[in-house]
């Protein structure tokens, strides 16, 4: 017994006991670390294998990016292995991990990886085993320092998910060039559609307080996914972002992000010359306006030498744009592109446009942009939302994909859950992103998926991109709901590799975020798998869309039929009356289906060949319309609402499986959030079913329970119900 | 050498090394723990003494409050001693720490502390050494469980500040009955004048998510100071706080706070019956209005059985009040008091009132409330700000103190730095609070200080209170600036003991918040000692007041002379023109000085007998007026502005002393914030000096440097300068 007290094992045990006791008290698992947790590997056999293979880290701090890679591996391996990895300048002895480029590492140069490195391009990496200094070593090699950093994160991910790395041989390059996150952060730090606290950017003490640890951790989180750009301010832009005062602040952030391979972009307001310098026009063809932008851009690059470029929301929802001056989107985008071109800057120009006077909002982006295909400069990227309307729980893919063949494009998706219950609801967006990427446009025949288009395999684009509106804020876990982290994760992984499945990504994320145990992974991934469909079902099944209350997008208001503009009512979208429901987009209606290639135009033309999940997007049908299930449309609709509520109950049941198997803090928070979600799901179901029953005049199908309250109750609640969103003006009656 | 490896010392060293390494990586010092850090005591001799004295904790979990006391001592002692304290149900052996009331602890009952316990009242405590079960033990005894909890925190504080507790014998009772914090948190979670993130109260997921760890830590922070009440919502109240939905949410918070001895209060809107239930009046003498309030109050107590009461801002800055219905403040307060009385609830009725039509805003609170003295119910407390205007950097004390002799009163001070540079500036408010408490009203002759009045030693009040507007939000360190924590701390300590000095409190706080080393304490407390005066000097010295831009209260706008109401301009306060500066409140002016007892009315009547720090509060004087220093008023004014800027430089120099001596994270953050503060102090000084030079037509005194820009620059900046406050609408031009 006494012997035990002085064995290294005992010492280690003691140390770890004390550590657990004190650290646990000091810091519970609050989600701050996201998927970069690096807790010591529980499986002892595997840990010993890893320890033997990775004893020494051969790396230099020759550049800030290489230093970041070395720091991350040190932090990650020290955590995962539960022991310190030794730093070294050159390989010696056994168990070397060697990282670098042929330029920065003599060991790697000596491996002569030329062909393989050529194949992974400027940002890709190789992780392999090779003989170095007479011993087998693990090698992370790339053509650029950023590639090394991405490889470092990849190795850590493999270890976090307990993969076998004994014979590792990975060769990886990103599918999409520009992998960009978009923040809808206002300069007053209130985040539009954020729901996770205030903006991360503390403008009030920038540029002075650059050492905010969250800035670096934010960069690490993104870099771990290969994200290489961030637009830090809202597309509903404030012109002052281009003032010298704010450029100095933004430059301080850009400096923090730079070592992590992340370029900073800014959203700009199209009429900035008018707002900042009292110009009487912002006409993009006016030479003095062009000069103003050239000079401002020059100033931007003085502050931020590797500035990424501008993101622009123009002539959309009240934002100014070139059309205000009789010009088109290409005129506007090109003017900015010309100012940015000398510095290799880009313009992301959003295709999210719609005007109150037009007929079918669905049609508008295509109708405005398709005629301009080929008219944009080659440093302009048209950024297109996945669907034709606006991040709804389910949309058909936007017909602009495949239509713009001579114009660089980017796909825009949303991680923040504007239409998915904010940070109160669990709704893993991976399946939605996957659905979008896998959508086949048939632009060049079968197999012309959006994913392949973005990967540059269909058209000859100079640039492609994927952008996600993300919501991190000052909430301790960044995203408000732990599972919103998973959608951020999924976006990054898919932008790197458009071919990944959302299920595989969920498994990865769950392992890194919770742990590798089967009885944890199964419930977590099951919940994730159904969560998006649950959200569709209890809100707007069968292709219904936009039944939200105006403005806040939290609760239901299918009865909403008057507003400043028709496309801001719910009635506009569902068109329900005594005889039927749905929006006719065939040739008897708006004929929006003509925007698709023939394969889909034909399928969408008839209800029988339209996928039921999209049915009411394209057809106005009688309540008695017979569904595949044999139920009437009315019965099926109520059935779907009931299914959605039951799916939330199922998610609750699954979550309870995790009690005691994951940390109590996150368990408890998600448990409570699922209660809120069930409360809200029932509310959605009851309100919508009440309303559609009142419109159709039909009785509830047998077995479907009556709503808790009469319809009037839900209508009255709309004005007083609490909306958890600081950005949204709390109903102002009081 | 080998021997060393198996000594307990080595084991401990190893454990602590590993701990430091891993915990440090995992969690830097981010300020979250406030002053409840409980890091292991560095002084080994002292630690050994403490360890010997405190080996075993004799306590029960008989009530939630006793459980909280036991949990806090366990957490605190485990941390401070670096070893686990043993739990026990009864004293045995050496080194017992015994806590409880005579009811809950047989050991304590046996000590027969009757007389001493009677002396400390319902909330006080005794900490002493006594023989129990044959051995000397340390005892925390009280009449109530809350008293035990306060004693537990006090013992921990003594140990955190490395006091000798070998012969401890403390007897302590609070000076003031109701020690309350006020949150100006709106229901949309934006905090008015908060500057530290969003509201802590996550209304969107309440009552479901009650286990938010911040709620408990919030309660611990307050309980550690003896704070026994919290008003959780803004005095600019939203009527919906009294809706059932919000009462259920508030009740969930009250449940968390209850074990910590903290009662929950709500701010209510006076015309709630009109807003919530469409009444056509809120006349406090109308029986149906009275009935409405009785029924609502009954409902409140169904949700929250120990509800504290209401805080009301009425007929002030646009808030509704009894005067809207032809009634007075007493009518309004008494109506609410009658509804609350059956449940022992209180009404805190604010005396912060002023109307645009009146002459001197200074006079108004006194003029409205003095005539009502004696007219309020005995469960009404009139809550009076320390000064007659509004939390200005320096104000004379409000003449209402001492004037209300038959009406319960509370003092209201502000921790959040609305007028002190928000969470960007370092401005320890302890000296301001001390100045207020030590102010001698002369109500019953010399020695009738506000502190004594609040302690109930001057008038025979049934209730007295102290309230602080605090700003904790979702910022990781709760208050935005680490040093704002110190003002919260000072408020709590002074409410417990109005006789403490702000310097002693600063020393305590610095020891607990940083460490006990002399070379840390000296710079920290030196900085704290000058910080408030620095803030006065670079903003509005010599009794100038309210030179702020309208609305945001961050930057200067002494030129501001037009507004919706005169008392919302800066000119109203300084009255500067070519001939002089200052507000004449003598009998040749508004004669506000008549509101003071003769001692001060006489002194304030003449400039020569008015303290120079308050000079321009009471006198309009020529620029050439001769000051004590021999300088003219104009020269002195500029000198003070220069002094303020230099004091910030001095604070920076002192802070640099701490480099490497405290944790890098907080060092770096405060270092950056001091840079912002210097930038702002220079801006204040330059803007004000420019303006007053332009008004007086006088040249800058020799040796005083010219402002960086012409006056017009500062005037133009007012509209575009960034104001770090999400609550304040960012100037709307863009």
């Amino acid at each position: 017994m006494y012997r035990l007290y002085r064995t290294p094992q005992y010492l280690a045990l003691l140390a770890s006991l004390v550590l657990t006791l004190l650290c646990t008290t000091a810091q519970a698992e609050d989600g701050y670390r996201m998927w970069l947790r690096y807790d010591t590997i529980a499986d002892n056999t595997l840990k010993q294998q890893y320890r033997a293979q990775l004893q020494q880290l051969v790396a230099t701090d020759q550049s800030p990016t290489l230093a970041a890679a070395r720091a991350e591996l040190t932090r990650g391996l020290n955590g995962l292995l539960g022991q310190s990895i030794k730093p070294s300048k050159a390989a010696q002895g056994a168990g070397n991990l060697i990282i670098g480029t042929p330029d920065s590492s003599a060991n790697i140069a000596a491996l002569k990886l030329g062909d393989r490195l050529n194949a992974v391009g400027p940002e890709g990496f190789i992780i392999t085993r090779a003989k170095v200094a007479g011993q087998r070593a693990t090698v992370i090699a790339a053509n650029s320092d950023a590639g090394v950093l991405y490889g470092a994160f990849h190795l850590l991910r493999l270890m976090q998910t307990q993969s076998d790395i004994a014979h590792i041989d990975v060769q990886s390059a990103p599918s999409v060039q520009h992998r960009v996150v978009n923040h809808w952060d206002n300069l007053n730090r209130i985040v539009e559609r954020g729901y996770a606290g205030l903006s991360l950017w503390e403008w009030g003490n920038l540029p002075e307080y650059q050492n905010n640890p969250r800035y670096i951790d934010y960069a690490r989180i993104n870099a771990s996914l290969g994200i290489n750009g961030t637009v830090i301010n809202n597309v509903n832009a404030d012109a002052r972002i281009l003032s010298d005062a704010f450029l100095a602040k933004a430059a301080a952030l850009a400096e923090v992000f730079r070592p992590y391979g992340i370029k900073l972009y800014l959203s700009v307001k199209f009429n900035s010359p008018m707002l900042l310098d009292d110009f009487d026009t912002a006409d993009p063809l006016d030479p003095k306006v062009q000069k103003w932008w050239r000079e401002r851009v020059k100033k931007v690059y003085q502050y931020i030498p590797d500035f990424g470029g501008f993101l622009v929301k123009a002539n959309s929802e009240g934002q100014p744009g070139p059309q205000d001056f009789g010009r088109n989107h290409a005129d506007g985008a090109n003017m900015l592109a010309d100012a940015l071109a000398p510095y290799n800057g880009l313009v992301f120009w959003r295709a999210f446009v719609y005007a109150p006077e037009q007929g079918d909002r669905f049609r508008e982006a295509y109708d405005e942009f398709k005629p301009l295909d080929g008219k944009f400069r080659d440093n302009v990227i048209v950024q297109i939302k996945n669907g034709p309307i606006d991040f709804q729980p389910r949309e058909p893919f936007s017909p602009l994909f495949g239509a713009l063949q001579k114009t660089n494009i980017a796909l825009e998706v949303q991680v923040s859950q504007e239409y998915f219950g904010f940070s109160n609801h669990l709704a893993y967006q991976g399946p939605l992103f996957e659905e979008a990427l896998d959508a086949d446009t048939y632009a060049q025949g079968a197999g012309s998926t959006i994913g392949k288009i973005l990967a540059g395999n269909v058209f000859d684009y100079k640039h492609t991109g994927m952008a996600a509106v993300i919501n991190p804020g000052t909430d301790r876990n960044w995203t408000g709901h732990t599972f919103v982290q998973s959608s951020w994760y999924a976006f990054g992984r898919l932008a790197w590799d458009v071919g990944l499945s959302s299920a595989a990504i969920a498994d990865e994320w769950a392992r890194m975020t919770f742990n590798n145990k089967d009885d944890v992974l199964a419930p977590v991934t099951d919940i994730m798998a159904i969560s998006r469909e649950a959200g569709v079902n209890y809100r707007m099944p069968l292709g219904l869309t936009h039944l939200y209350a105006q403005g806040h997008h939290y609760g239901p208001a299918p009865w909403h039929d008057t507003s400043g503009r028709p496309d801001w009512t719910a009635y506009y979208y569902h068109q329900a009356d005594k005889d039927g429901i749905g929006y006719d987009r065939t040739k008897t209606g708006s004929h929006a289906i003509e925007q698709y290639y023939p394969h889909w135009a034909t399928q969408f033309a008839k209800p029988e060949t339209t996928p039921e999940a999209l049915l009411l997007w394209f057809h106005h049908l009688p309540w008695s319309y017979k569904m595949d299930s044999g139920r009437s449309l009315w019965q099926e609709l109520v059935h779907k609402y009931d299914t959605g509520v039951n799916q939330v109950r199922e998610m609750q049941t699954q979550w309870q499986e995790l009690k005691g198997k994951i940390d109590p803090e996150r368990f408890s928070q998600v448990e409570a959030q699922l209660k809120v979600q069930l409360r809200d799901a029932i509310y959605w179901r009851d309100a919508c079913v009440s309303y559609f029953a009142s419109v159709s005049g039909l009785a509830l199908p047998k077995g479907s329970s009556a709503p808790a309250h009469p319809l009037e109750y839900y209508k009255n609640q709309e004005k007083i119900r609490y909306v958890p969103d600081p950005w949204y003006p709390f109903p102002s009656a009081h």
Side-chain angles (χ1 to χ4, degrees), chain A:
Chain A
M1 186 64 192
Y2 178 73
R3 283 190 81 81
L4 179 66
Y5 279 80
R6 51 189 170 87
T7 60
Q9 285 84 344
Y10 176 75
L11 296 179
L13 175 73
L14 182 86
S16 112
L17 261 177
V18 174
L19 181 74
T20 309
L21 203 81
L22 294 194
C23 285
T24 307
T25 315
Q27 186 193 26
E29 176 55 73
D30 56 19
Y32 180 81
R33 293 177 297 167
M34 305 276 279
W35 49 83
L36 301 176
R37 294 165 77 237
Y38 305 140
D39 284 348
T40 303
I41 290 160
D43 177 334
N44 201 45
T45 312
L46 188 68
K47 184 171 64 187
Q48 296 307 334
Q49 278 173 21
Y50 285 166
R51 282 181 173 183
Q53 184 175 340
L54 306 168
Q55 299 173 37
Q56 187 162 267
L57 177 57
V58 184
T60 73
D61 284 355
Q62 203 169 298
S63 75
T65 299
L66 287 175
R70 196 174 72 80
E72 194 69 31
L73 282 169
T74 304
R75 176 191 199 132
L77 294 174
N78 287 0
L80 289 165
L81 304 181
Q83 68 180 21
S84 294
I85 186 152
K86 278 176 293 186
S88 174
K89 294 284 170 210
Q92 49 181 332
N96 285 296
L97 170 59
I98 304 165
I99 72 169
T101 60
D103 282 348
S104 65
S105 162
N107 287 141
I108 284 172
L111 290 174
K112 302 204 179 303
L113 295 164
D115 285 351
R116 293 193 69 187
L117 281 176
N118 284 342
V120 299
E123 293 185 298
F125 58 82
I126 293 163
I127 311 179
T128 191
R129 298 278 287 163
K131 198 166 247 182
V132 178
Q135 301 246 24
R136 303 288 313 160
T138 309
V139 173
I140 302 176
N143 294 306
S144 69
D145 296 345
V148 175
L149 180 68
Y150 297 145
F153 277 112
H154 190 72
L155 178 65
L156 290 167
R157 175 163 48 238
L158 292 175
M159 295 172 69
Q160 288 173 277
T161 53
Q162 307 205 343
S163 311
D164 183 3
I165 60 165
H167 308 283
I168 188 167
D169 192 41
V170 172
Q171 187 166 322
S172 183
S175 303
V176 175
Q177 270 168 287
H178 303 290
R179 306 173 299 280
V180 181
V181 287
N182 291 183
H183 293 262
W184 287 358
D185 292 18
N186 294 314
L187 300 189
N188 66 359
R189 297 190 64 209
I190 294 181
V191 182
E192 183 168 337
R193 321 294 186 185
Y195 328 116
L198 293 179
S199 171
L200 295 170
W201 325 128
E202 299 187 359
W203 297 116
N205 57 36
L206 280 170
E208 287 86 354
Y209 186 41
Q210 192 180 28
N211 285 343
N212 185 332
R214 280 198 100 130
Y215 298 155
I216 286 189
D217 288 329
Y218 166 83
R220 290 176 52 238
I221 289 162
N222 281 315
S224 76
L225 305 171
I227 287 167
N228 62 5
T230 179
V231 188
I232 60 171
N233 63 316
N234 193 354
V235 289
N236 291 322
D238 187 310
R240 268 165 299 205
I241 194 68
L242 287 178
S243 68
D244 282 28
F246 271 95
L247 290 176
K249 295 169 191 284
L253 294 175
E255 261 178 46
V256 179
F257 303 159
R258 189 169 297 125
Y260 292 90
I262 298 166
K263 283 192 177 187
L264 187 139
Y265 296 73
L266 296 175
S267 294
V268 296
K269 210 169 189 82
F270 193 78
N271 63 348
S272 293
M274 300 169 72
L275 296 173
L276 291 178
D277 281 325
D278 293 326
F279 276 40
D280 56 6
T281 180
D283 180 352
L285 302 192
D286 185 321
K288 72 176 186 302
V289 171
Q290 294 169 351
K291 179 159 175 279
W292 187 93
W293 281 103
R294 279 198 306 275
E295 287 173 358
R296 246 319 87 184
V297 166
K298 185 176 173 189
K299 182 67 90 172
V300 171
Y301 280 90
Q302 283 167 4
Y303 279 100
I304 309 170
D306 59 348
F307 179 68
F310 294 148
L311 172 62
V312 189
K313 175 178 179 176
N315 293 122
S316 171
E317 296 182 329
Q319 290 297 322
Q323 294 172 354
D324 301 348
F325 310 97
R327 315 298 179 184
N328 65 33
H329 287 291
D331 296 329
N334 292 343
M335 185 253 316
L336 298 177
D338 290 342
L340 288 157
Y343 315 94
N344 297 314
L346 299 173
V347 176
F348 284 88
W349 189 271
R350 290 174 97 228
F352 175 70
V353 294
Y354 64 104
E357 58 275 9
Q358 119 285 0
D360 181 3
R361 176 174 165 185
F362 185 117
R363 294 190 61 110
E364 193 155 0
Y366 183 101
D367 287 347
E368 287 195 28
F369 280 84
K370 173 65 182 168
L372 298 174
D373 189 23
K375 303 270 201 298
F376 290 91
R377 297 282 188 272
D378 70 0
N379 60 333
V380 174
I381 301 175
V382 172
Q383 182 165 310
I384 310 164
K385 291 189 183 185
N386 59 286
I389 301 291
D390 186 15
F391 300 140
Q392 296 300 293
R394 171 167 276 117
E395 299 198 33
F397 68 90
S398 164
L400 262 183
F401 291 105
L404 295 184
Q405 306 197 352
K406 292 172 285 180
T407 304
N408 302 315
I409 64 154
L411 165 66
E412 178 179 315
V413 294
Q414 193 182 47
V415 165
S416 29
Q417 300 181 168
E418 176 179 355
Y419 294 101
F420 270 100
F422 303 3
S423 293
N424 273 352
H425 291 202
L426 195 165
Y428 170 52
Q429 300 292 299
L432 189 157
F433 303 162
E434 185 180 23
E435 196 172 289
L437 289 169
D438 289 352
D440 195 341
T441 65
Y442 282 81
Q444 306 274 17
S448 306
T449 63
I450 293 176
K452 285 192 184 157
I453 290 175
L454 293 171
N457 300 336
V458 178
F459 304 115
D460 186 28
Y461 295 138
K462 185 163 178 202
H463 297 277
T464 66
M466 271 177 69
V469 181
I470 60 171
N471 77 330
T474 50
D475 275 11
R476 184 62 182 164
N477 70 359
W478 300 84
T479 53
H481 197 301
T482 294
F483 280 78
V484 176
Q485 298 178 357
S486 70
S487 302
W488 186 352
Y489 185 86
F491 163 73
R493 295 289 288 137
L494 286 166
W496 185 275
D497 183 351
V498 294
L500 290 174
S501 80
S502 65
I505 294 171
D507 179 75
E508 254 181 31
W509 177 81
R511 287 174 185 271
M512 296 166 81
T513 302
F514 297 105
N515 63 49
N516 284 278
K517 291 187 191 137
D518 289 339
D519 59 355
V520 166
L521 294 174
V524 170
T525 55
D526 284 357
I527 287 169
M528 291 170 80
I530 64 166
S531 60
R532 182 267 186 134
E533 207 60 40
V536 171
N537 286 334
Y538 63 70
R539 286 191 187 86
M540 38 196 81
L542 299 178
L544 285 177
T545 202
H546 224 309
L547 306 185
Y548 300 92
Q550 190 191 340
H552 65 67
H553 302 165
Y554 189 73
W559 48 79
H560 193 231
D561 58 5
T562 46
S563 178
R565 43 195 288 182
D567 51 0
W568 284 353
T569 69
Y571 175 77
Y572 174 89
Y573 295 99
H574 64 66
Q575 307 267 323
D577 58 22
K578 198 165 166 34
D579 301 321
I581 183 170
Y583 199 119
D584 182 5
R585 292 192 166 96
T586 67
K587 65 184 170 190
T588 58
S590 75
H591 208 201
I593 61 169
E594 69 176 338
Q595 297 180 335
Y596 288 100
Y597 283 94
H599 172 88
W600 288 112
T602 311
Q603 290 215 27
F604 292 151
K606 296 183 189 160
E608 313 84 86
T609 50
T610 301
E612 282 194 354
L614 299 174
L615 192 62
L616 302 177
W617 270 99
F618 295 108
H619 303 285
H620 187 81
L621 296 171
W623 294 104
S624 58
Y625 178 81
K626 191 73 153 284
M627 303 293 288
D628 290 348
S629 62
R631 286 184 277 264
S632 72
L633 174 55
W634 164 243
Q635 290 167 330
E636 187 74 11
L637 189 69
V638 178
H639 174 71
K640 287 283 184 185
Y641 275 112
D642 287 340
T643 302
V645 171
N646 287 332
Q647 284 172 313
V648 178
R649 291 206 174 92
E650 170 62 19
M651 286 157 63
Q652 286 188 312
T653 305
Q654 295 258 25
W655 188 254
Q656 287 304 318
E657 294 284 309
L658 298 170
K659 191 160 196 170
K661 296 180 190 156
I662 64 166
D663 54 282
E665 186 169 337
R666 289 185 300 176
F667 175 81
S668 173
Q669 186 177 21
V670 173
E671 180 187 41
Q673 287 166 325
L674 283 168
K675 283 184 196 161
V676 177
Q677 186 166 2
L678 181 63
R679 189 227 285 168
D680 291 347
I682 292 170
Y683 191 98
W684 262 98
R685 181 266 180 203
D686 283 358
C688 291
V689 165
S690 293
Y691 170 73
F692 290 124
S694 80
V695 171
S696 68
L698 295 167
L700 283 192
K702 256 187 209 153
S704 193
S705 55
H709 305 279
L711 178 59
E712 282 309 304
Y713 171 87
Y714 300 102
K715 288 189 177 179
N716 291 335
Q717 284 289 305
E718 196 190 346
K719 286 211 191 69
I720 56 170
R721 197 157 165 255
Y722 185 69
V723 179
D725 181 2
W727 174 79
Y728 180 70
F730 199 31
S732 53
H734 306 286

